[in-house]
Structures are given as C-alpha cells and as structure tokens.
Amino acid sequence: MSTVGGPTDDAAEQVARRVVEAYGGCGARIDFAYGQGSVFSGFTAHSDLDIVIIWGEDELPLPARRPAEELSDPCTDTTQFHDAAFGLDKLHVSGWDVDVAHYTRTRFDAWCALVEAGDGWQERAWPQPLHAVAGFVHGRLLVDRDRVAQGIRKSMRGPSAQLITKVMDALGQQLPEYADALRDCADRDDGWLFHELAVQLVKHAYVAWFAAEGHYLPFPTRLRQWIRHLGLEERGVLLERRIWEATALGERRLAILRFAEHVLAANSVVRKSAEA
C-alpha cells in the first residue's frame, strides 16, 4: 500500500475496509478501491472518510443494490446520487462521515490516459482528471483485485514528459496576456474580474510547479500541507506564499507574475540540465 503524511487512524482504516467489503457483496466486480483526502493522507483525524471504488463493470451498481442504508448508523441520514458516469453515497458509519464515490474502470482509465497525454487540467470539470489521478497516486489502497491498481501506480508514479511540456509551454505563451489583463483590472480596481483571471493563472502555475517537481497537483484542500509534505523547493514556496500575503491588487499581480516566472525559469534550468 501507499500512503503519505502520518499513519491513518486505525479505526478509520478499519471502517473504510468494512465499507468496501460490504460493497463488494452487491453483485458487481470491484477492480480496486482506495481512500483519499485528509484522513488517509495523515493530515488530520477530524474529517470525513473519502472512499473511491472503481468498478470493473460497464455500468455502476444501482443505488438499490449498494449497501449504504445497511451500513449506516441507526437514526442517521443516508444520501445517494446516481447517473451513468458517477455514483455517490453519503453515510455515517461508526461515527464517521463517509463519502463513497463510484466510477467505472473505463472512466478511470480515460482520466489516466488524458493526464498522461498532458491534459485533464485545463477545463473546469468535476472531478478534474488531474486531481482524480493525484488522489489515486497519493491515496491508500483498500482493495486491489489482481494487483491492478499497483500496476497503474507504477506506470504513473510521476507526471509524464508530455504533461510537463504542455503545461509549461502553455504557461509561457499565456503569461504576457494575463499580465496585461491583470494590470488593467488593478488600474480600474476591478477586483472581481481580477480574481476571476488570477484564479486561472494561479491554478495553471500550480499545475506547472507541482509537475516540474515530479508530482500531480492534488485537490486544493490542505494544499499548504501538501506543499510541505512533498518538499517543494524553497524559493517557489516563498514566492507562492507572497501571493496570499499581498493585499492591494497591484501587489498581488506582481506576486503572481513573479511566482509564474520562477516556475518557468526553474523548469528551463531543469530542461537544460537534462539535455546536457
């Protein structure tokens, strides 16, 4: 198994394994299942348990076949969502809030292929393929039928050259346009539009920064803890922090640009070293 941060609470992992075992009896084949998020990363013991089940069938089990109600603690509410591409059960087990997400293996494999090809981070989508891959790579395996998940992890242990190249090239090409647009917003004191644009640029820079350091960008919850845990280089950490310490729009614009420029420059140094 693979885990990050500190050890997962024993009680939490026991609950997670009991939940997955129960779902395994609903008549469909589980290829693998894993826990992701703050508890399974060892960052906190005070959060819900996020479990992802990857099903080997063409269709997800219908809510009536999934054992959410049977697993739930007495006198607690259970919520289920279902469509052709995604299922979600929200329940309470042994005092834990548990979210069980369901995806087909076909969809999961499509995410992996997309990210390997350098995509899956540009558009606003839920779940973002890049975040989904990060959750899997950094998560804790709970069930792994025929060691399928371990094989996928081995092949996707870090960002592909295609991902790094595509995100860096796009950042370099788009940065001047962002710089001009953010300056105009700051001059007009258009705070809302400034931050709409800034969110896109900062996300882009984060994807590039993590990829250049050999990591997939996780979902932004507890991102500062991820930065510390993964040991991202100190200069980038300092520049990233200045973005959120800035108060005036013009000051924040400069902080964002310096961070993005640093990411591009650091990657250029790495490329030259690799080519030498």
Side-chain angles (χ1 to χ4, degrees):
M1 292 183 192
S2 173
T3 184
V4 299
T8 300
D9 183 284
D10 287 342
E13 183 159 350
Q14 289 174 14
V15 167
R17 292 186 180 279
R18 179 158 63 90
V19 167
V20 174
E21 182 179 359
Y23 276 87
C26 76
R29 187 182 83 247
I30 295 176
D31 272 5
F32 52 91
Y34 57 95
Q36 63 180 7
S38 302
V39 173
F40 290 104
S41 300
F43 293 154
T44 180
H46 305 290
S47 186
D48 54 0
L49 301 185
D50 292 321
I51 299 170
V52 180
I53 298 179
I54 305 300
W55 296 91
E57 312 288 339
D58 293 333
E59 297 181 358
L60 299 174
L62 294 171
R65 293 173 58 195
R66 306 198 300 252
E69 292 285 353
E70 294 88 336
L71 282 166
S72 293
D73 294 339
C75 303
T76 60
D77 295 327
T78 300
T79 302
Q80 293 186 282
F81 172 83
H82 182 87
D83 66 20
F86 172 61
L88 177 65
D89 300 329
K90 299 178 73 69
L91 52 152
H92 307 268
V93 183
S94 299
W96 290 88
D97 291 335
V98 180
D99 290 354
V100 186
H102 307 272
Y103 302 100
T104 65
R105 175 71 183 280
T106 299
R107 190 177 188 197
F108 179 86
D109 287 347
W111 289 337
C112 292
L114 196 64
V115 172
E116 279 283 279
D119 297 306
W121 54 272
Q122 301 97 324
E123 305 298 330
R124 293 185 179 182
W126 184 264
Q128 185 106 93
L130 179 64
H131 295 330
V133 168
F136 166 70
V137 169
H138 294 302
R140 181 179 291 266
L141 291 179
L142 301 170
V143 166
D144 188 9
R145 181 186 178 92
D146 301 325
R147 301 175 68 88
V148 168
Q150 293 182 55
I152 299 172
R153 278 187 171 177
K154 185 176 180 180
S155 68
M156 298 193 69
R157 64 186 64 178
S160 65
Q162 295 96 315
L163 176 60
I164 297 172
T165 297
K166 187 170 286 190
V167 70
M168 287 294 177
D169 288 350
L171 181 59
Q173 293 166 9
Q174 297 171 13
L175 190 57
E177 183 178 348
Y178 272 116
D180 291 344
L182 290 173
R183 182 187 59 239
D184 292 343
C185 288
D187 290 345
R188 296 191 304 264
D189 200 26
D190 284 342
W192 184 3
L193 181 56
F194 178 97
H195 286 99
E196 280 282 329
L197 295 170
V199 163
Q200 299 174 44
L201 176 55
V202 169
K203 175 193 170 186
H204 194 157
Y206 273 135
V207 174
W209 186 33
F210 274 75
E213 295 271 332
H215 306 289
Y216 301 102
L217 177 68
F219 189 76
T221 301
R222 300 185 185 273
L223 191 58
R224 184 146 302 281
Q225 287 174 278
W226 279 109
I227 290 171
R228 287 197 300 267
H229 170 75
L230 296 174
L232 272 59
E233 48 93 16
E234 294 183 6
R235 179 62 177 164
V237 173
L238 176 63
L239 292 172
E240 183 267 347
R241 188 61 182 168
R242 287 176 180 170
I243 296 172
W244 313 118
E245 293 173 346
T247 53
L249 295 182
E251 180 184 0
R252 178 159 290 169
R253 170 185 175 272
L254 288 175
I256 294 171
L257 296 181
R258 286 169 181 158
F259 173 60
E261 289 166 353
H262 169 77
V263 171
L264 289 168
N267 182 67
S268 178
V269 170
V270 172
R271 281 187 181 181
K272 288 179 180 177
S273 296
E275 293 169 358

